[in-house]
Amino acid sequence: MIIDAHVHLPVVDGCISLQQKKERLLLEMTKNQVSKCIVISDSDITSPIGTVDECVELFKDAENVYVVGGISPFFDYEKQLEKLEGYLEQEMIIGIKLFTGHEMFYLTDNRISEVYDLALRYDVPVLFHSGWANSQYSAVSEVAKVAEEYPELKLVCCHCFYPNICDCQELIRYSNVYFDISSIADDLTILGKVESEIKKLIQMIPTRVLFGSDYAGCNQMHHIELVRRLGLDKRTEEVVFEKNATRLYLLK
Ligand SMILES: [Zn+2]
């Protein structure tokens, strides 16, 4: 079984409405034999990839699609915190996402402690964007400080500091830090290096690396093929594709 723990709903193949994007996502999952996925909403109060309200509404009848709610200190923060709490209470979302780097705030920003406290209260992971441009906002030192201050908090480092996958190694001593491999198969010209780094990471901490693709901005099948090419033993491959997400997000 494959669980894609990181997808979004940007415009794809002429699908513009959220309903169309939903159908397109479900089609992609069928095509690639992905059984479950986690859709991550935007943090803004209006968004082309869907706000948390829109994503929750869109997938409330889809048993195999879960939602993570985005939040930002820049957009109606206190109200959004309350909103997320309501959805956590009703089990309509399974995690909270911070767009550090897309948005200019640090993981250690004092304001974000409210997000960490909320996630701890409901025992859900906090995901954060890493790598790419403006990577300082969720650099290794930032993650380490949060992981240390909140040892019970589950943190998911999305994109593994791409393209500097080896940075993940500095965090493996924190057992509450997980990594999702979304978007790392994006650039075919550096795929060889990326693959050897990610394989090393999986071999070091097989229970803390999750499959994700960053569909529809990135290609889901390219990410599945990347994992298959690593030549992991069957058990480890299963853990990365499925078991880690099930355990971390407490999927039913
Ligand atoms: Zn993403």
Side-chain angles (χ1 to χ4, degrees):
M1 196 211 284
I2 300 178
I3 301 175
D4 190 336
H6 190 133
V7 308
H8 300 280
L9 300 173
V11 173
V12 56
D13 293 344
C15 298
I16 292 166
S17 74
L18 284 171
Q19 189 58 40
Q20 288 172 324
K21 291 174 185 174
K22 173 188 178 179
E23 282 159 25
R24 183 65 187 78
L25 168 66
L26 297 176
L27 179 74
E28 187 73 15
M29 289 170 67
T30 307
K31 207 174 77 189
N32 298 335
Q33 293 180 293
V34 171
S35 310
K36 299 178 186 177
C37 78
I38 300 174
V39 170
I40 304 174
S41 85
D42 208 345
S43 56
D44 209 340
I45 30 196
T46 62
S47 168
I49 67 164
T51 64
V52 64
D53 288 332
E54 288 169 332
C55 290
V56 164
E57 178 61 29
L58 197 59
F59 293 106
K60 67 179 185 206
D61 64 342
E63 256 179 40
N64 57 341
V65 181
Y66 304 86
V67 174
V68 159
I71 193 161
S72 164
F74 303 130
F75 310 123
D76 226 351
Y77 189 43
E78 291 301 323
K79 232 174 106 189
Q80 293 297 106
L81 275 169
E82 259 172 54
K83 187 189 291 277
L84 291 189
E85 172 142 32
Y87 285 138
L88 286 167
E89 181 83 57
Q90 301 169 64
E91 298 185 5
M92 305 288 269
I93 60 170
I94 58 164
I96 305 174
K97 169 91 183 270
L98 300 168
F99 290 85
T100 38
H102 284 306
E103 296 169 11
M104 308 302 128
F105 68 90
Y106 289 89
L107 280 182
T108 53
D109 187 314
N110 279 334
R111 293 171 292 184
I112 307 304
S113 62
E114 289 190 76
V115 171
Y116 300 144
D117 290 337
L118 183 60
L120 279 170
R121 237 171 15 253
Y122 288 88
D123 192 25
V124 295
V126 170
L127 297 71
F128 59 90
H129 176 92
S130 78
W132 294 91
N134 304 309
S135 56
Q136 70 273 23
Y137 293 98
S138 53
V140 166
S141 57
E142 288 290 298
V143 185
K145 278 180 208 153
V146 178
E148 219 156 277
E149 195 178 336
Y150 299 90
E152 303 293 319
L153 177 67
K154 299 177 279 191
L155 290 161
V156 183
C157 176
C158 304
H159 323 312
C160 302
F161 303 107
Y162 183 85
N164 302 314
I165 313 284
C166 55
D167 283 4
C168 298
Q169 289 181 30
E170 295 177 52
L171 293 167
I172 58 177
R173 66 176 185 278
Y174 299 105
S175 60
N176 54 333
V177 178
Y178 295 74
F179 301 90
D180 96 31
I181 67 162
S182 58
S183 84
I184 70 166
D186 192 53
D187 180 354
L188 302 178
T189 63
I190 58 164
L191 216 46
K193 184 171 183 299
V194 163
E195 280 173 19
S196 73
E197 296 286 359
I198 210 71
K199 184 168 181 178
K200 225 183 290 167
L201 184 68
I202 292 172
Q203 282 166 340
M204 284 190 275
I205 45 164
T207 56
R208 289 195 275 137
V209 182
L210 284 73
F211 177 72
S213 68
D214 227 346
Y215 168 91
C218 296
N219 186 298
Q220 191 174 58
M221 189 37 101
H222 287 173
H223 284 76
I224 294 171
E225 286 167 351
L226 181 149
V227 173
R228 296 224 163 105
R229 270 199 308 272
L230 298 179
L232 305 168
D233 60 82
K234 265 283 152 247
R235 221 200 78 82
T236 306
E237 192 179 284
E238 195 177 76
V239 159
V240 171
F241 268 141
E242 174 201 348
K243 299 249 163 27
N244 290 342
T246 302
R247 202 183 67 254
L248 176 64
Y249 289 101
L250 307 171
L251 304 182
K252 295 192 181 92

